[in-house]
């Protein structure tokens, strides 16, 4: 009975998800997005594994992740402003072709056995630059494809599918690398080439990601967007001014400011160590390996998907308010993360990451929809680029620092410190900030 009377539902008599899935335009976009997201998971597993196979150096791994993240962090806000001003479809199409070329080159070099470390650095930098524009373009596409009244249902389907790919992708990538092998470093055959790699399984993972970009570019060409009301092309200075305009708006909104600052602290102190510590844990623990790495990361994706399903079943479940629920869940997540450095079997890491994903996934749809409801449509591209900047820009920068820190501390100490830091951050946010007062309700006027 409650769904029939909820003010969030624009078409009470019909299931909006069923209506969306009958829309060929939406299906073209959803299918291409799903394929591209699945391919991304192959690279997510293959790239750190490639670097560790080539060098075994956590500092080099952190450097590679930083080369992906730094240009993304520097340009993603500009990417959001350009998406607000121009067509998200055009921007997204260009980035798909660029990523296709970069990943095909990476796969070819691995297959040929001629990949060297400086090439990994250069290609990682190119991928980072492309994603600075593809991320805000992708997140801003939905309002150009479906009606605004259908956004919540469309986001639910898209985010749920994203989590499904995050579950299946790492599992498939880990199995692919394990079955076809990581190859052997050419450095073992030639003393003067210590940073080369020849790994068929890893190369195949990159090739499949390149193929996913080719096919998703074709499906994107089939998508028809709504008539755009964007302003005419502006000079670069105007684009920078529009970035500043968005930042000023978000800063003046006290609840947005509080949440963005809190999430920034989490990205800097928690997400970075996760990016480094989990692949290192899998590669350095005798009982684990590439397949185990995929299983552990896939378990997190499965937990996140399950959390989204539970959130859809009980969307109003809160511990007082949205902000209080976020803080409570973060305390539990921090406590679960602390013993990760002590695991000795795959099932232990998978179980912990499954629970962590479950709690995080429960809140993702609510947070995503909360931002969309709170931000004016004209600023949505900039709002989502800032949100993505926090988690996809700051976190890998933190990972680069973590690679250096791990020269001095053990994995067990890193996991314990990261989990404990999250608990402390949540407690400080509860005491010192208005985070606990953040509610689901959107402002009455815009």
């Amino acid at each position: 009975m409650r769904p029939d009377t909820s003010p969030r539902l624009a078409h009470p008599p019909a299931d909006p998800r069923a209506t969306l899935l009958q829309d060929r335009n939406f299906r073209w976009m959803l299918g291409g997005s799903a394929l591209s997201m699945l391919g991304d998971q192959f690279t997510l597993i293959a790239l750190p594994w490639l670097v560790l196979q080539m060098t075994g150096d956590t500092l080099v791994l952190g450097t590679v992740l930083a080369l992906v993240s730094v240009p993304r962090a520097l340009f993603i806000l500009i990417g959001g402003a350009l998406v607000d001003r121009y067509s998200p479809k055009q921007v997204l199409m260009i980035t798909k072709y660029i990523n296709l070329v970069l990943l095909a080159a990476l796969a070819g070099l691995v297959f040929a056995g001629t990949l060297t470390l400086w090439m990994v650095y250069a290609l990682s930098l190119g991928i980072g630059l492309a994603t600075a524009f593809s991320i805000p373009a992708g997140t801003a596409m939905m309002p150009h494809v479906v009606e605004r009244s259908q956004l919540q249902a469309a986001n639910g389907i898209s985010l749920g599918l994203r989590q499904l790919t995050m579950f299946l992708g790492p599992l498939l990538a880990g199995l692919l690398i394990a079955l076809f092998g990581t190859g052997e470093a050419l450095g073992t055959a030639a003393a003067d080439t210590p940073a080369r790699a020849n790994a068929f399984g890893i190369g195949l993972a990159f090739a499949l990601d390149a193929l996913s970009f080719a096919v998703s570019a074709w499906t994107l060409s089939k998508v028809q967007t709504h008539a755009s009301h964007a302003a005419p092309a502006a000079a670069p200075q105007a684009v920078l001014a529009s970035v500043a305009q968005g930042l000023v708006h978000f800063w003046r909104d006290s609840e947005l400011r509080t949440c963005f600052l809190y999430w920034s602290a989490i990205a800097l102190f928690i997400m970075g160590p996760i990016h480094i510590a989990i692949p290192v844990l899998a590669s350095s623990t005798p009982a684990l390996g590439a397949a185990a790495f995929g299983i552990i990361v896939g378990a997190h994706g499965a937990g996140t998907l399950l959390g989204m399903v539970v959130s859809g079943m009980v969307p109003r479940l809160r511990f007082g308010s949205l902000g209080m629920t976020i803080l409570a869940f973060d305390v539990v997540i921090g406590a679960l993360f602390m013993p990760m450095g002590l695991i000795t079997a795959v099932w232990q890491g998978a179980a912990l990451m499954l629970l962590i994903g479950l709690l995080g996934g429960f809140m993702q749809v609510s947070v995503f929809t909360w931002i969309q409801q709170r931000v004016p449509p004209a600023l949505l591209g900039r709002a989502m680029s800032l949100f993505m900047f926090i988690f996809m820009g700051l976190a890998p920068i933190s990972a680069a620092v973590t690679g250096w820190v791990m020269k001095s501390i053990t994995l067990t100490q890193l996991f314990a410190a990261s989990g404990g830091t999250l608990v402390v951050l949540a407690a400080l946010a509860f005491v010192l900030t208005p985070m606990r007062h953040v509610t689901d309700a959107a402002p009455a006027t815009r």
Side-chain angles (χ1 to χ4, degrees):
M1 181 178 296
R2 183 164 55 191
D4 292 335
T5 60
S6 172
R8 293 185 179 182
L9 294 177
H11 306 287
D15 184 351
R17 291 170 296 182
T19 302
L20 282 168
L21 292 175
Q22 293 172 2
D23 184 345
R24 171 185 274 187
N25 206 37
F26 178 72
R27 292 200 306 269
W28 276 120
M29 190 190 73
L30 191 67
S33 297
L35 187 60
S36 181
M37 290 186 292
L38 183 64
D40 290 344
Q41 297 305 310
F42 278 73
T43 294
L44 180 68
I45 295 295
L47 184 59
W49 205 256
L50 171 68
V51 174
L52 289 174
Q53 290 295 312
M54 290 178 71
T55 69
D57 193 330
T58 59
L59 182 58
V60 174
L61 176 57
T63 302
V64 169
L65 293 178
L67 285 170
V68 174
S69 67
V70 168
R72 184 167 58 194
L74 291 176
F75 290 98
I76 194 169
L77 295 179
I78 294 176
L82 289 174
V83 167
D84 280 338
R85 186 171 296 276
Y86 303 108
S87 166
K89 179 180 175 179
Q90 291 178 358
V91 174
L92 188 59
M93 183 69 78
I94 292 171
T95 62
K96 284 184 181 294
Y97 287 134
I98 293 173
N99 277 308
L100 166 61
V101 172
L102 293 173
L103 286 162
L106 184 55
L109 289 167
V110 172
F111 286 139
T114 56
L115 182 69
T116 58
L117 192 56
W118 75 263
M119 296 177 185
V120 176
Y121 288 155
L123 291 168
S124 298
L125 180 65
I127 291 170
L129 282 169
T131 54
F133 296 90
S134 66
I135 290 171
T139 55
M141 268 290 292
M142 196 70 76
H144 291 259
V145 177
V146 305
E147 298 297 330
R148 188 165 178 81
S149 60
Q150 297 176 308
L151 277 176
Q152 185 171 346
N155 285 330
I157 294 173
S158 179
L159 288 173
L161 195 57
R162 175 177 178 268
Q163 294 309 316
L164 182 61
T165 64
M166 290 180 68
F167 167 61
L168 294 176
L171 290 175
L172 295 174
L175 288 173
L176 182 73
I177 294 172
L179 288 174
F180 289 93
T182 56
E184 59 180 19
L186 294 182
T188 60
D192 60 340
T193 57
R196 296 176 183 265
N198 178 18
F200 184 78
I202 293 175
L204 193 56
F206 291 133
L208 289 173
D209 193 11
L211 179 62
S212 76
F213 276 109
V215 177
S216 63
W218 173 70
T219 61
L220 181 61
S221 70
K222 302 290 186 179
V223 176
Q224 300 297 317
T225 58
H226 299 157
S228 175
H229 49 269
Q237 187 174 6
V239 172
L240 295 176
S242 69
V243 172
Q245 177 193 16
L247 293 176
V248 169
H249 175 87
F250 306 145
W251 184 261
R252 289 176 177 172
D253 186 320
S254 61
E255 292 193 2
L256 275 175
R257 180 177 70 243
T258 299
C259 288
F260 282 157
L261 289 175
Y262 175 72
W263 292 327
S264 296
I266 289 178
L268 286 171
F269 293 104
I270 306 301
M271 301 304 296
I274 291 177
H275 287 174
I276 288 286
I278 292 178
V280 172
L281 175 69
S283 66
S284 62
T285 303
L288 304 180
F293 180 34
I295 291 171
I296 291 173
V297 177
H300 181 267
T304 305
L305 177 60
L306 180 60
M308 288 182 171
V309 172
V310 175
S311 179
M313 296 171 61
V314 282
R316 301 184 188 279
L317 178 62
R318 295 288 184 267
F319 297 108
S321 66
L322 176 65
M324 279 291 296
T325 307
I326 292 172
L327 295 176
F329 278 25
D330 281 347
V331 168
V332 178
I333 289 172
L336 290 170
F337 194 64
M338 292 173 70
M340 275 292 294
L342 301 173
I343 69 168
T344 57
V346 178
W347 71 266
Q348 296 169 344
L352 288 171
M353 293 303 289
L354 180 73
L355 292 173
I356 290 171
L358 174 66
L359 295 173
F362 183 87
M363 297 307 304
Q364 272 195 34
V365 174
S366 294
V367 168
F368 199 86
T369 304
W370 176 77
I371 293 173
Q372 288 186 322
Q373 289 176 336
R374 194 168 189 90
V375 175
L379 293 172
L380 186 56
R382 278 161 282 184
M384 297 315 300
S385 68
L386 179 58
F387 184 71
M388 296 299 177
F389 165 79
I390 290 171
F391 287 104
M392 304 185 78
L394 294 181
I397 294 174
S398 173
V401 177
T402 302
W404 174 75
V405 171
M406 286 188 66
K407 298 290 185 180
S408 304
I409 65 174
T410 65
L411 266 177
T412 301
Q413 292 170 335
L414 179 65
F415 279 113
S418 297
T421 301
L422 179 55
V423 173
V424 171
L425 283 174
L428 290 175
F430 174 80
V431 174
L432 302 177
T433 76
M435 184 76 181
R436 63 184 182 275
H437 300 304
V438 173
T439 64
D440 290 276
T445 59
R446 276 279 162 228

